Amino acid sequence: MNSHDSFENRCVQSIQEIEEADYSQLTHQYLAPVHTLRGDFGTVIDDLATSEDVHLDDSFRGNFFRPDEIHVAWRSTTGPLVMGEFCLNHIHQSISRSIIPPDDDALGPAEREVLGDLCVIDTAPRGGTGNLAGLYVTEDAAFEVWFYDMGLHRLERLDLDYAGYLDVTLAIKGTSGWQYLFADVQLNSMELHTTAARLEVMLDTFPEVFPNHDYRALRARLEARL
């Protein structure tokens, strides 16, 4: 099985889990067509090296996917309302900056510079929040993952690499605000208490609803930030 088949199959499995659970209702799903240039990992890394001077190592191969976009949205059907959404962009689309991140005057100069240079990997267009995650390519060609919360005017570096971001996205189904579990924040603060409450409901519920996933490490991250 090719790596792209593996990740795309995992996406399909994640969608099926949402559909089959009584707890959740799938409200949107879309796998964009496969573009000829972007259907092969070798072709993609060669083109990005030539056109963008960005060199992807083999760690990107395991989570490579061919569709230009994988977009899923859902909401809970029982208990306190929990919603999730992810709109994953093809790595070629991200690095070539087909989506330009917004400017935010509320951020400091250094943060605005990082935000402006992000290669967007994930958005939530149906939710209309303006939140996004992106890769920041450092001067020594390392890849950092950052999360931007438009509503709270926050930009946070995440304790995740690209593969880890995608892995958690599928396990946690893009639950709104999950990225804060990997940021250096206190979730018991006034501005994040709603996010914390939502994540607590999710982590109380998901182990039973989606028993094929292990959420203990995420629970530990939540407790460390409360």
Side-chain angles (χ1 to χ4, degrees):
M1 179 180 292
N2 294 325
S3 60
H4 62 249
D5 292 331
S6 176
F7 185 78
E8 289 164 32
N9 285 342
R10 288 168 57 203
C11 288
V12 171
Q13 180 181 358
S14 183
I15 295 170
Q16 289 176 339
E17 289 173 345
I18 296 170
E19 284 184 304
E20 294 171 359
D22 293 337
Y23 173 76
S24 50
Q25 177 186 3
L26 191 67
T27 57
H28 181 77
Q29 63 171 310
Y30 176 64
L31 270 67
V34 177
H35 189 283
T36 303
L37 172 66
R38 296 185 279 274
D40 174 73
F41 182 72
T43 301
V44 167
I45 61 174
D46 289 345
D47 185 76
L48 289 176
T50 301
S51 62
E52 304 293 334
D53 195 28
V54 173
H55 302 271
L56 303 182
D57 61 34
D58 208 50
S59 65
F60 285 83
R61 183 185 296 273
N63 290 70
F64 176 74
F65 55 87
R66 299 170 299 166
D68 277 357
E69 175 185 295
I70 299 176
H71 189 184
V72 174
W74 62 273
R75 59 184 292 152
S76 61
T77 58
T78 60
L81 178 62
V82 177
M83 296 183 292
E85 180 178 7
F86 57 88
C87 185
L88 303 175
N89 300 310
H90 191 287
I91 190 62
H92 190 284
Q93 298 279 75
S94 299
I95 299 297
S96 60
R97 295 173 60 82
S98 64
I99 299 177
I100 304 298
D103 193 11
D104 189 336
D105 292 337
L107 299 177
E111 290 182 317
R112 289 180 66 188
E113 183 175 352
V114 170
L115 179 60
D117 287 340
L118 286 185
C119 303
V120 179
I121 60 174
D122 184 20
T123 59
R126 289 184 70 85
T129 61
N131 295 356
L132 59 87
L135 294 175
Y136 178 71
V137 185
T138 67
E139 291 184 357
D140 59 354
F143 294 93
E144 300 174 351
V145 180
W146 290 72
F147 172 65
Y148 171 62
D149 186 329
M150 178 179 283
L152 297 180
H153 303 285
R154 297 184 69 124
L155 181 66
E156 304 288 347
R157 182 179 173 184
L158 303 185
D159 183 23
L160 282 170
D161 60 11
Y162 175 73
Y165 185 93
L166 297 190
D167 288 343
V168 176
T169 295
L170 294 190
I172 214 165
K173 318 303 185 199
T175 298
S176 179
W178 72 262
Q179 293 89 346
Y180 282 112
L181 295 174
F182 292 85
D184 185 14
V185 299
Q186 288 297 311
L187 287 170
N188 57 6
S189 65
M190 182 65 67
E191 65 177 0
L192 291 176
H193 76 278
T194 300
T195 298
R198 183 189 310 118
L199 294 176
E200 193 155 18
V201 169
M202 180 269 294
L203 288 171
D204 284 343
T205 308
F206 273 27
E208 181 177 351
V209 176
F210 305 114
N212 292 331
H213 300 277
D214 186 350
Y215 295 99
R216 287 175 294 181
L218 296 175
R219 165 62 69 177
R221 282 186 169 273
L222 174 63
E223 293 176 352
R225 288 159 175 78
L226 291 176

